[in-house]
Amino acid sequence: MLYEVLGDIWVVQRNPYLQDDLLDNPKRRRQLVEALHHRLGEVQNRRSNEDAERDALVGQLLEAASRAVKAFNAEFEAIASLRKKTTRQLKKYTANDNIKFDGLSRVSHVTDATDWRVEYPFVVLTPDTEVEMAGLVKGCIDLGLTIVPRGGGTGYTGGAVPLTWKSAVINTEKLEAMTEVEHLSLPGIDHPVPTIWTEAGVVTQRVADAAERAGFVFAVDPTSAEASCIGGNIAMNAGGKKAVLWGTALDNLASWRMVTPDAQWLEVTRLNHNLGKIHDVEVASFELKYFEANGTTLVREERLDIPGANFRKEGLGKDVTDKFLAGLPGVQKEGCDGLITSARWILHRMPEHTRTVCLEFFGNAKDAVPSIVEIKDFMFAEQKRSGVLLAGLEHLDDRYLRAVGYTTKSKRGGLPKMV
């Protein structure tokens, strides 16, 4: 009976649908709690005084179980109260329908592509516009909620996994406004540059398609391009196969906008953009403007001048261990120093003629890695000699090849260890 009591508590705590049902039906919740106390009462009635030491342990168990039942019941009152308070606070900044406590919303935001599960979020927020973001962040802070930013949920680092029940997932997928390609004058550049502006919830592939329609290339193309969102691309400093030529998200950002943990707006603008890889410049400069939550009242300005070499570890296109990233806000921080809401990107033009070479490695995968490095070095030397560019580089291991149903090109048959 003790296991039944603890089991019932555990099942309800791990099932948002049961929680919703019991919150909506106080009578049913009261009956459940009475049944739990009744079972503990039966255990009490069956206690034996023959073994004093054993009886004392039973008493301790009953006392602890009774406290657990009382805490279980009190949780419902606390959650119901916090839900009312949260709705009252956050509806100042977004529509009621965008404040979601239902089981389906919470279940679908408990994990990301990692499939790690720790706690269900308390509430899921789905703002309609970028303007709402600062207010929602402020409201969550005032309520004492931990904020978890989320886009497409394609991350493999667990950045969108709530670690406490008292958390709010802010889902930016409805922030999907974007422009077509625009030729603009950027600070410090004496000619118009092809750019595109997007909100954080725009799916990466949509940006690539818009660029392609105008004859340009969007350099950020992670494997998850058809599901990942722009905000996550910036927060993770995403790359892709074109990073070998044009770098990662950081190298291709002209400016971006974010909400800080103080619920202020921060606009970051790259100055004197080299339209290439950031580590190739001696100094990379950024202008930072902070605004109040209304988005118009300027709080302060500052300028960051950072040696380009500080953004890369030698030999690496991206150092995933460096979350500080020379102190530059937003990029590669995985949402820890603010929520990305929109950005403007520079675009590129592919060479007039392109060829794709596919190499299949059938031996040990460890022997393929030096070959990839040699290919890269050879092509970079060829670029200086004849102008031939290595525009993309991607390697796929045998697990990925099996997952996508890869068909071997070689006559020898069988699945390669790496492509």
Side-chain angles (χ1 to χ4, degrees):
M1 282 186 286
L2 178 64
Y3 280 129
E4 286 178 0
V5 170
L6 300 179
D8 283 352
I9 292 175
W10 184 84
V11 166
V12 172
Q13 287 178 333
R14 300 306 296 171
N15 190 321
Y17 300 104
L18 289 178
Q19 292 169 18
D20 285 347
D21 181 61
L22 293 173
L23 280 166
D24 293 339
N25 297 276
K27 183 179 177 182
R28 192 174 299 166
R29 185 169 81 240
R30 188 168 59 251
Q31 289 172 339
L32 172 61
V33 172
E34 287 172 356
L36 297 178
H37 281 302
H38 173 74
R39 288 187 187 131
L40 293 180
E42 287 299 306
V43 175
Q44 172 68 27
N45 294 337
R46 298 176 192 188
R47 286 176 67 174
S48 170
N49 296 321
E50 294 177 4
D51 186 336
E53 186 177 346
R54 180 183 176 87
D55 186 59
L57 290 173
V58 174
Q60 289 178 33
L61 271 176
L62 280 172
E63 186 181 340
S66 182
R67 285 200 306 270
V69 172
K70 289 176 183 175
F72 171 70
N73 188 39
E75 271 180 18
F76 284 96
E77 301 299 329
I79 289 171
S81 173
L82 187 55
R83 283 189 178 188
K84 288 179 183 176
K85 186 178 178 182
T86 299
T87 303
R88 192 165 59 246
Q89 177 87 322
L90 298 184
K91 71 180 182 181
K92 304 173 190 172
Y93 310 109
T94 191
N96 262 7
D97 291 346
N98 295 336
I99 306 169
K100 302 178 186 295
F101 300 105
D102 63 283
L104 178 59
S105 296
R106 295 172 64 214
V107 166
S108 59
H109 289 78
V110 71
T111 188
D112 55 13
T114 62
D115 206 30
W116 296 336
R117 297 158 193 270
V118 182
E119 292 283 356
Y120 290 99
F122 168 68
V123 63
V124 176
L125 306 174
T126 57
D128 293 310
T129 64
E130 182 182 15
V131 175
E132 299 170 21
M133 293 289 285
L136 289 176
V137 169
K138 183 178 185 307
C140 289
I141 292 170
D142 292 342
L143 290 162
L145 300 176
T146 297
I147 300 170
V148 182
R150 180 191 174 96
T154 60
Y156 277 104
T157 63
V161 177
L163 300 181
T164 169
W165 76 266
K166 205 174 177 184
S167 59
V169 172
I170 301 183
N171 186 315
T172 61
E173 285 182 301
K174 290 201 290 191
L175 307 185
E176 54 181 5
M178 62 181 286
T179 65
E180 292 296 319
V181 174
E182 301 173 308
H183 288 74
L184 299 179
S185 296
L186 301 180
I189 300 179
D190 60 2
H191 59 86
V193 176
T195 68
I196 193 165
W197 174 86
T198 68
E199 285 187 327
V202 176
V203 174
T204 310
Q205 189 60 47
R206 283 186 60 208
V207 187
D209 293 342
E212 189 176 349
R213 284 195 295 272
F216 293 97
V217 176
F218 180 54
V220 182
D221 63 338
T223 307
S224 60
E226 294 189 0
S228 63
C229 296
I230 287 299
N233 292 162
I234 299 171
M236 298 295 296
N237 192 13
K241 57 184 175 291
K242 300 190 188 83
V244 69
L245 179 59
W246 291 307
T248 60
L250 168 64
D251 305 87
N252 295 279
L253 281 163
S255 62
W256 62 97
R257 197 169 185 230
M258 57 189 287
V259 180
T260 72
D262 299 318
Q264 292 180 337
W265 286 104
L266 170 57
E267 295 178 3
V268 183
T269 303
R270 174 91 180 267
L271 307 176
N272 307 312
H273 204 301
N274 66 328
L275 307 181
K277 295 177 182 175
I278 196 167
H279 59 266
D280 288 338
V281 298
E282 189 174 336
V283 176
S285 299
F286 299 86
E287 179 185 67
L288 278 59
K289 291 185 176 180
Y290 291 85
F291 297 87
E292 293 289 4
N294 58 25
T296 56
T297 306
L298 183 65
V299 177
R300 72 179 193 278
E301 297 182 57
E302 62 179 287
R303 174 173 168 141
L304 294 179
D305 293 305
I306 303 168
N310 286 13
F311 291 102
R312 298 278 194 263
K313 184 177 285 189
E314 190 172 351
L316 290 181
K318 172 184 168 184
D319 180 6
V320 296
T321 67
D322 180 11
K323 297 304 171 193
F324 182 64
L325 203 64
L328 185 67
V331 181
Q332 206 161 300
K333 303 299 189 298
E334 300 182 35
C336 289
D337 69 343
L339 281 70
I340 306 294
T341 60
S342 62
R344 184 168 292 277
W345 305 84
I346 62 167
L347 304 175
H348 305 274
R349 199 179 285 278
M350 282 290 278
E352 187 176 351
H353 303 287
T354 60
R355 294 291 183 271
T356 299
V357 178
C358 176
L359 299 176
E360 297 179 333
F361 297 92
F362 289 88
N364 292 323
K366 66 177 183 177
D367 297 327
V369 175
S371 301
I372 293 170
V373 175
E374 288 179 24
I375 290 166
K376 180 180 77 71
D377 291 343
F378 171 78
M379 290 303 300
F380 280 12
E382 189 68 16
Q383 179 178 339
K384 294 177 182 176
R385 189 179 69 80
S386 64
V388 175
L389 302 173
L390 181 60
L393 182 63
E394 186 171 30
H395 99 272
L396 314 171
D397 64 19
D398 54 352
R399 290 176 302 174
Y400 188 91
L401 298 177
R402 283 195 298 271
V404 299
Y406 179 79
T407 303
T408 306
K409 310 295 184 291
S410 170
K411 292 180 180 178
R412 67 182 290 169
L415 201 65
K417 287 293 182 184
M418 189 179 292
V419 171

